[in-house]
Every structure is written in C-alpha cells, then in structure tokens.
Amino acid sequence: MIQVDVLVGLQWGDEGKGKIAHFLGVHYDWMARFQGGCNAGHTVIHQGKKFIFHHLPAAAVLPQVKVFLGPGMVLYPPVFVQESQAIDKTIHLSGALQVILPTHLLIDVLLEQARGKGAIGTTKKGIGPAYADKALRQGIPLKTLLENPKAIQNTFLWKYHQQWLRLWESEPPSLDDFWQSVETMRQWLKEGKLKLWSPQAWIEYCYRTQERLLAEGAQGTLLDLHFGTYPYVTSTHTVSGSVYTGLGVPPNVIKEVFGVFKAYMTRVGQGPFPTELQEPLASRLREWGKEYGATTGRPRRCGWLDLNALQYACKINGVTQLIMTKADVLAKLPQVQVFYQDQFHSFPSWNAQLIDDTHFETFCEFIEKQLQQPIVYVSYGPETQQIYQRTTINVS
Ligand code: GDP
C-alpha cells in the first residue's frame, strides 16, 4: 500500500508551504495536490531558479518526484500549460478533476462586483463557480474535455453560462487561449507528457505499490469551507481530512501530518483577523516578509501569531510535526508578541541566524507547550538551505 504524508498550512495560506514541500520532497516518490486550483501560488527556488506554480505541487521541480493532480482539484488549462512548460516530466492527472472554463472566471468577477462591500475577496480565478457547477452535477471532468473538446459547447453547462452572462448583460469572454491550451494538452497526452488516471486505476496502483506520497495542501486551515472563517473562506476543504476524497486514498495510509505556520499571521482579502497589526508596524512586516500574494500580487494583512487559532488548526488536522517559517522576519524587531487565550505575551526577539539563540528557543518552547507538538523544522529565509532541524523527529 502506498504511504501518504500530508503537508498543510495552519493559518490563512501563504505560510511558505512551497519552500517546505520542496525541502521535504526528496523523501518522496510522489507529490500530489488534492484540492483547489490555480488560486494557489507556490514560490519555489530550485538551484537558483525561481518557479511560481499554481496547479503543480512545489516539489515538481525535483527530478525523481512524480506529480499527481487529484480529482479534488479544478484545473484551468491556459495556466496549467504555461506553468507545466517550466518542468520536463510527465504529469499525472486524475481524469475526474474538473475544468475551469473562461466563463467561470468571468462569473467569479461579476459575482464579486455584485457583492460590493460584502465581497469575499476571491482570487477571481473561477474556482468557486467551477466547484459550484461540480456540486450542481453539471461540471466538466478533464477526461471529457480532452476526449471531445468541441462537444463542450453543446453541454448544459455551456448553455447555462451563456444564459447567465446574458442576464448580466456581459460580453462573452475570449476563448482563443483556452482552446489553444486544450489542444496543447491533447498533444501532450499523445506524446506521453500527460497521463490521465481513472479513479479505479489510481486506487489499484496505490494498493499495489509501496511508494511514498506527500499530499500538499493549498491555502490554509482557516480558509477551509467548513472549518474556516465562513464566508471568508475558499471553496474547498484545506484540512488533512480532505486528502481522502481529494486524492482517492484511504485514511489508514496517512502517517505524518506536517503543519506549516509562519511566526506571525497574514491574511489576504476580507474576514476576521483578531491579532491584526496597525500601521506602521503592519507595513513594516509586509515589506520585510514580502507579504504580497504570489497569485494576485495583493498586499497581505499582517498580525501577531494567534496561538488559539493555531491550536485549533493542529487539532483539526491531527498535526504530528510543526514547521515554523519566516522566523527571520520577526528577528528585525526588538520585541515580538503572541496571542494566547485572551492576552498578548511579549518575547524579546532573536538573531536572524536563530540556531542556539536562547530567546528564539524560549519563543518556540512557549508555542510547543501550548500546542503539545514539536516544532521540528524552522525556516529562516527564502533560500532552500535556510532551514534547520530543531528536534530529532525525522521523516525518512
Ligand atoms: P505558500 O503559498 O504557503 O507556498 O507560500 P508562498 O510561496 O506564497 O510564500 C512564501 C514566500 O515566502 C516565498 O517567496 C518564499 O520564498 C518565502 N519564504 C518561505 N520561507 C521563508 C522564510 O523562512 N523566510 C523568508 N524571509 N521568506 C520565506
């Protein structure tokens, strides 16, 4: 049976999962995504080269790692084709994952506009509308699109979208890029650069092999459709439980759950943020931490670490190992704060190099005590090698 570990974000996304997945990826045969689509934005620096992935998991750049996009995802062909050109390997896709059409993007934009002040702050990538159509049982699986693309125009969904847009007196979107990318995907399929899996073939494969797979979450726990700050959430399940349905593996294959969190908090878009910082500190953290969305470029709201939220996220995900990122950013301040129960706790800051720094150890131990989980790795810079192991628990 295949063995699965999971890596999830414990905050509102952008925890630096990309770098961590890339770092851990050397231990795995497979790297998979199980939810979301191109609303994710992983920034990976591999051998000095910068990659930004939207559909692909971060360790896709590692030569030995096979990539699988599970049926819980949605895929937008123009973006997928563009990012896939950066890597030279076969990409494995579930034929059951759903396609985002150009009309989904437009509907997303129109809905956000119509919500006015109540806008959710979506990435406007068509993700929510595509999942809504899937739930309405009128979505288009990837397999259907690739087998007979032109037939899409005769589907109920296509006609429904045209009606919908007419109602909103909106110009239909341009389809050139979309059809071109679908043709590229069909060509890649013929050339073996893409492999489509049926759910049955995938589960048979999983039962047959002893391979190791890392399931990489996108967004973060507090954006989960059930467990996040609804309605200011994403349209998928971002927690570890989502791996079973989003990938097609049974629960008993999961071993480690890596929970990634930043030493402070950030949030893009609307929604509650109890520890949000005021100016000018918020802007300073944003600049030091380069807190701008990889997908949208939007500035992220910044705040102190909220241990109440982190504790909840650890429980929901069943985290077994914690990984802290961006500890170097807080090193620029003389004092840092952590919110726990109903008060802020102050800590003296540390040196940017962290290792053996007693102030930093005090900060980590306080977090570990409340969360009852070890902080196994600490990342202290964007480069791959700027990470160290604090405790002896290892993944290999
Ligand atoms: P993800 O969506 O969770 O993968 O996060 P992003 O990739 O959007 O954001 C992570 C950004 O922070 C990238 O530009 C990383 O290179 C950078 N990064 C990751 N870890 C660290 C860290 O420990 N310190 C600093 N300064 N930057 C980091």
Side-chain angles (χ1 to χ4, degrees):
M1 176 78 90
I2 204 162
Q3 300 170 55
V4 180
D5 292 338
V6 184
L7 184 139
V8 285
L10 299 180
Q11 296 159 326
W12 283 294
D14 311 314
E15 296 91 349
K17 296 177 295 297
K19 171 181 163 170
I20 303 302
H22 178 227
F23 167 74
L24 294 175
V26 292
H27 300 289
Y28 296 90
D29 305 297
W30 286 91
M31 194 83 186
R33 287 262 321 261
F34 54 94
Q35 44 77 225
C38 53
N39 50 342
H42 284 320
T43 314
V44 185
I45 299 168
H46 181 66
Q47 294 176 345
K49 200 171 158 198
K50 187 169 168 181
F51 297 82
I52 295 186
F53 291 142
H54 296 289
H55 297 93
L56 299 179
V61 289
L62 300 174
Q64 91 291 354
V65 169
K66 292 179 273 190
V67 172
F68 181 62
L69 305 188
M73 285 187 73
V74 287
L75 181 141
Y76 185 52
V79 173
F80 172 77
V81 163
Q82 201 179 28
E83 69 188 296
S84 302
Q85 274 157 349
I87 61 160
D88 181 24
K89 64 170 64 171
T90 299
I91 299 169
H92 301 255
L93 301 147
S94 168
L97 67 75
Q98 297 259 324
V99 176
I100 300 173
L101 300 173
T103 40
H104 281 128
L105 273 81
L106 188 54
I107 290 169
D108 204 355
V109 171
L110 292 171
L111 281 175
E112 276 291 81
Q113 274 169 10
R115 287 181 193 120
K117 284 200 175 126
I120 299 164
T122 83
T123 54
K124 303 195 179 81
K125 305 284 177 201
I127 310 289
Y131 278 110
D133 281 327
K134 172 180 166 176
L136 286 169
R137 277 65 51 83
Q138 60 192 21
I140 296 179
L142 182 62
K143 186 170 186 291
T144 309
L145 176 78
L146 295 180
E147 280 178 355
N148 200 356
K150 292 297 170 191
I152 300 304
Q153 280 148 333
N154 294 324
T155 59
F156 174 77
L157 181 71
W158 192 269
K159 292 174 194 161
Y160 167 81
H161 279 185
Q162 304 314 311
Q163 289 292 345
W164 199 98
L165 293 175
R166 237 170 263 143
L167 206 65
W168 285 63
E169 294 174 356
S170 173
E171 285 290 311
S174 164
L175 300 173
D176 296 351
D177 278 3
F178 182 76
W179 292 125
Q180 213 174 356
S181 60
V182 171
E183 270 321 303
T184 306
M185 286 185 73
R186 281 157 59 83
Q187 191 57 35
W188 286 356
L189 204 56
K190 276 193 217 147
E191 293 167 7
K193 289 190 203 164
L194 297 183
K195 177 171 164 50
L196 280 200
W197 289 78
S198 69
Q200 294 86 341
W202 173 251
I203 197 67
E204 287 305 328
Y205 180 87
C206 290
Y207 270 81
R208 218 174 42 243
T209 70
Q210 292 283 319
E211 293 182 332
R212 296 200 58 175
L213 182 149
L214 182 64
E216 178 190 298
Q219 295 87 44
T221 300
L222 305 178
L223 291 173
D224 183 278
L225 187 56
H226 283 170
F227 304 108
T229 49
Y230 190 91
Y232 301 107
V233 292
T234 194
S235 44
T236 58
H237 296 292
T238 54
V239 296
S240 58
S242 173
V243 168
Y244 317 136
T245 53
L247 211 53
V249 295
N252 56 332
V253 298
I254 293 189
K255 195 171 156 240
E256 299 294 338
V257 179
F258 301 105
V260 184
F261 71 102
K262 263 188 247 203
Y264 52 96
M265 312 276 284
T266 60
R267 168 162 212 167
V268 187
Q270 305 298 311
F273 191 168
T275 61
E276 184 162 9
L277 277 165
Q278 302 302 314
E279 296 302 342
L281 200 46
S283 289
R284 284 161 75 194
L285 267 193
R286 186 176 305 120
E287 292 311 313
W288 292 335
K290 299 197 170 57
E291 298 297 353
Y292 295 90
T295 304
T296 58
R298 288 184 291 180
R300 297 172 184 151
R301 298 156 64 193
C302 297
W304 295 123
L305 185 64
D306 182 346
L307 264 195
N308 299 325
L310 209 53
Q311 199 167 47
Y312 166 68
C314 283
K315 287 179 178 165
I316 284 277
N317 288 294
V319 167
T320 60
Q321 300 190 35
L322 285 164
I323 301 174
M324 186 197 290
T325 62
K326 295 206 160 178
D328 54 306
V329 176
L330 290 190
K332 295 183 195 292
L333 290 167
Q335 288 275 322
V336 303
Q337 298 200 35
V338 174
F339 190 64
Y340 183 58
Q341 291 179 339
D342 57 359
Q343 54 178 304
F344 282 98
H345 302 255
S346 266
F347 295 85
S349 188
W350 42 83
N351 290 317
Q353 287 311 309
L354 304 174
I355 304 169
D356 296 333
D357 185 306
T358 50
H359 288 168
F360 184 63
E361 275 304 303
T362 306
F363 178 73
C364 289
E365 283 163 17
F366 179 78
I367 295 169
E368 289 178 318
K369 186 167 166 225
Q370 317 312 334
L371 302 183
Q372 291 292 298
Q373 291 297 334
I375 300 173
V376 180
Y377 294 101
V378 175
S379 166
Y380 57 95
E383 304 297 328
T384 315
Q385 69 277 11
Q386 288 175 308
I387 189 164
Y388 75 97
Q389 191 169 355
R390 267 190 76 245
T391 66
T392 49
I393 297 176
N394 208 335
V395 292
S396 54

